[in-house]
Amino acid sequence: MTNPLTPEQEAALVAAIRQAELRTSGEIRVHLEDTCPTPEPLDRAAQVFAELGMHRTAQRNGVLFYLAWQSRQFAVIGDAGINSVVPDDFWETAKENVLQHFRAEKYVNGLEQGIRLVGEQLRRYFPYDAATDQNELDDSISFGDTPLRS
């Protein structure tokens, strides 16, 4: 897979993830691959979510941003803990917010904005607790068709 991000863009996304996670026990990951091997990107996002072991967080509050950049497919998916507390339309709203930026070819800005929105919801429902919080998932961006477990 060709990395579509410059080192600066990748660093900006990782910084956005770390910033969003500062005030929450929630976990955010970004996964990029060339093309989506399934008809629905949400199905592929669920596969990647499982392959990355994102369901193993203590509070089931992991969120994955999935982008197949060459085939222009995108999805955002949250685990059972976060999914059970956010408003019913939250994931669609978050996705549409990111896609607005994508349509203007501002891909990194779109992902940063989506990460911020998700971080706000995670902070609201899963606030940071200095006594118990630990970074349960790698903040780095994963790439390719077969992500490595973290």
Side-chain angles (χ1 to χ4, degrees):
M1 179 191 148
T2 305
N3 181 350
L5 302 173
T6 66
E8 295 79 15
Q9 290 171 323
E10 189 171 341
L13 288 175
V14 171
I17 292 168
R18 289 183 177 149
Q19 183 66 36
E21 290 182 357
L22 279 178
R23 299 181 302 193
T24 179
S25 64
E27 299 290 335
I28 300 170
R29 299 272 333 245
V30 173
H31 180 79
L32 302 176
E33 59 188 15
D34 293 333
T35 59
C36 183
T38 61
E40 289 295 324
L42 192 57
D43 293 340
R44 177 60 180 152
Q47 291 173 347
V48 172
F49 194 97
E51 290 171 9
L52 291 172
M54 293 187 66
H55 58 285
R56 293 191 188 119
T57 60
Q59 295 184 301
R60 302 288 304 266
N61 57 2
V63 176
L64 176 68
F65 288 83
Y66 168 81
L67 175 61
W69 66 278
Q70 285 181 348
S71 58
R72 297 178 169 262
Q73 292 174 291
F74 172 74
V76 60
I77 187 172
D79 204 350
I82 183 72
N83 207 30
S84 68
V85 294
V86 295
D88 290 341
D89 64 344
F90 175 72
W91 299 114
E92 189 62 29
T93 301
K95 182 180 101 174
E96 281 306 313
N97 188 288
V98 172
L99 289 176
Q100 280 182 357
H101 292 278
F102 284 7
R103 288 181 194 108
E105 297 185 5
K106 295 181 179 185
Y107 303 104
V108 173
N109 290 344
L111 288 170
E112 288 174 323
Q113 179 65 26
I115 290 166
R116 274 192 292 277
L117 285 173
V118 165
E120 290 167 9
Q121 291 297 307
L122 286 168
R123 182 184 73 216
R124 179 177 179 189
Y125 296 107
F126 301 95
Y128 176 77
D129 180 349
T132 60
D133 191 59
Q134 62 179 345
N135 193 11
E136 296 178 273
L137 298 175
D138 189 347
D139 295 334
S140 67
I141 298 167
S142 58
F143 297 93
D145 299 333
T146 53
L148 301 173
R149 291 190 184 268
S150 317

